[in-house]
Amino acid sequence: MPLQEMHDIGRPEVLRLTDVWKTYYGGHQAVKGISLTIGQGECLGLVGESGSGKSTLARCLLMLERMDKGEIWLNNRPLHELGTSELRNARREMQVVFQNPSGSFNSKLTIKDSLLEPIRCQNKGCPSFLGDTNNIEEEIAAKLLEKVHLPARYLNSYPSELSGGQKQRVAIARAISVEPSLIVLDEPTASLDVSIQARVLNLLKDLQEELGLSYLFISHDLSAVNFMSERLMVMQYGKMVDLCQRKELFAPERHPYTKQLLELFDVK
Ligand code: ADP
Ligand code: MG
């Protein structure tokens, strides 16, 4: 079956990319004609070795990077056609968690202020999933930390006082705080100790199930992507070479590169 036809996701669509291309200054083509769809409440996994163009694709869809051509539809709105101010609003529907948690925090802000930044910027109140907080910031922040299993005493700490795993939990709490349509997770556990990685993946998965979140989960590690995602997309040299449901991952028709990754990461 042609890969494009497998994009029938059987649920309302949150994000659709059509034929996205990105060439860097100097002529390197990092993304070559990628199309994908993510459904509501779905986790689409994107796997490929380092340098295959995953982060470039993520930055293009977050509109942090200008693409050469392509379409980006978020909740059926064409982001690629919007002007600057409209785009700023539409982009708020997407949150991102990057690999390096330290880079996502202002070292001079307390955890509470970092955590509440998106809610304040977007003039939003308490997210509906927290229940009753009387819209008191302190309470919202404490309950958000609780969602990612951190005690409220960290609210007055600074990023330097938290471990990498704790910071990544705060980054996750911040991403969910504005109830975005889509969360892009770009190697969210790659910089963490191996012992911590599984716990953060479990947290992400639990939150997805509990809150019905939609994820684009990006990793070079096929075992992590396999754990997180119902559907998997494989990128190599900027192209999509494979796309399948998790249960089809071991099917004989898989692309040779997918099979190579299965072996490399010992996925069973
Ligand atoms: P991945 O996230 O899969 O590791 P990237 O999207 O980071 O891949 O990179 C894809 C390719 O684009 C790599 O060859 C990388 O060196 C190149 N690249 C990434 N960012 C830039 C940039 N800002 N300028 C030029 N080349 C870049
Ligand atoms: Mg990357």
Side-chain angles (χ1 to χ4, degrees):
M1 196 193 310
L3 292 179
Q4 297 303 325
E5 284 178 27
M6 292 179 59
H7 282 300
D8 180 13
I9 49 172
R11 42 175 134 191
E13 134 190 340
V14 171
L15 180 82
R16 171 185 295 262
L17 303 189
T18 309
D19 202 24
V20 170
W21 292 77
K22 172 67 190 177
T23 310
Y24 281 114
Y25 182 76
H28 179 70
Q29 277 192 323
V31 174
K32 303 174 191 168
I34 297 280
S35 300
L36 62 83
T37 312
I38 300 177
Q40 265 171 29
E42 184 190 29
C43 177
L44 175 70
L46 172 55
V47 66
E49 69 194 54
S50 173
S52 58
K54 306 180 299 297
S55 294
T56 302
L57 181 68
R59 289 198 300 269
C60 286
L61 79 87
L62 292 162
M63 306 297 270
L64 298 173
E65 193 94 68
R66 187 183 287 274
M67 40 185 193
D68 313 343
K69 66 172 265 199
E71 294 182 1
I72 299 171
W73 296 81
L74 182 68
N75 295 322
N76 297 311
R77 286 181 78 195
L79 297 196
H80 53 282
E81 286 176 2
L82 300 183
T84 319
S85 65
E86 279 179 311
L87 185 59
R88 197 178 307 129
N89 286 330
R91 267 201 44 213
R92 291 173 167 175
E93 285 297 308
M94 296 188 278
Q95 290 289 311
V96 58
V97 177
F98 290 111
Q99 169 172 348
N100 180 357
S102 302
S104 2
F105 289 94
N106 180 337
S107 58
K108 295 193 175 71
L109 292 186
T110 61
I111 293 300
K112 179 184 157 192
D113 284 334
S114 281
L115 188 53
L116 292 174
E117 208 174 23
I119 289 181
R120 288 172 179 164
C121 273
Q122 300 189 24
N123 280 324
K124 288 208 171 183
C126 176
S128 58
F129 60 82
L130 287 186
D132 198 8
T133 55
N134 295 318
N135 252 337
I136 297 167
E137 280 196 338
E138 191 79 22
E139 247 181 80
I140 296 173
K143 279 195 163 184
L144 277 170
L145 280 196
E146 196 182 307
K147 273 273 170 245
V148 295
H149 310 142
L150 288 176
R153 67 184 150 86
Y154 286 123
L155 286 177
N156 296 316
S157 303
Y158 287 88
S160 60
E161 299 170 77
L162 270 64
S163 71
Q166 288 169 332
K167 270 183 275 205
Q168 209 57 319
R169 283 171 191 270
V170 179
I172 293 164
R174 187 168 59 180
I176 64 174
S177 71
V178 284
E179 303 182 89
S181 299
L182 178 73
I183 302 180
V184 176
L185 304 157
D186 190 357
E187 305 263 12
T189 60
S191 68
L192 306 180
D193 287 351
V194 176
S195 59
I196 309 286
Q197 289 182 3
R199 284 198 247 163
V200 173
L201 290 183
N202 275 313
L203 170 70
L204 285 167
K205 199 170 181 171
D206 290 347
L207 287 171
Q208 193 214 357
E209 281 167 14
E210 183 192 337
L211 306 177
L213 304 171
S214 311
Y215 287 162
L216 174 62
F217 179 83
I218 300 174
S219 176
H220 67 283
D221 178 343
L222 181 56
S223 54
V225 172
N226 182 46
F227 173 74
M228 288 296 298
S229 323
E230 295 117 81
R231 277 191 316 136
L232 296 86
M233 180 175 145
V234 184
M235 259 180 99
Q236 188 184 30
Y237 309 131
K239 286 191 182 156
M240 173 169 74
V241 296
D242 214 345
L243 176 68
C244 68
Q245 303 284 342
R246 175 168 39 204
K247 57 180 187 289
E248 300 161 341
L249 194 52
F250 297 93
E253 67 263 27
R254 289 283 64 80
H255 189 275
Y257 179 59
T258 311
K259 293 179 180 173
Q260 223 175 298
L261 290 176
L262 279 170
E263 213 157 286
L264 186 64
F265 290 98
D266 198 21
V267 179
K268 295 201 178 78

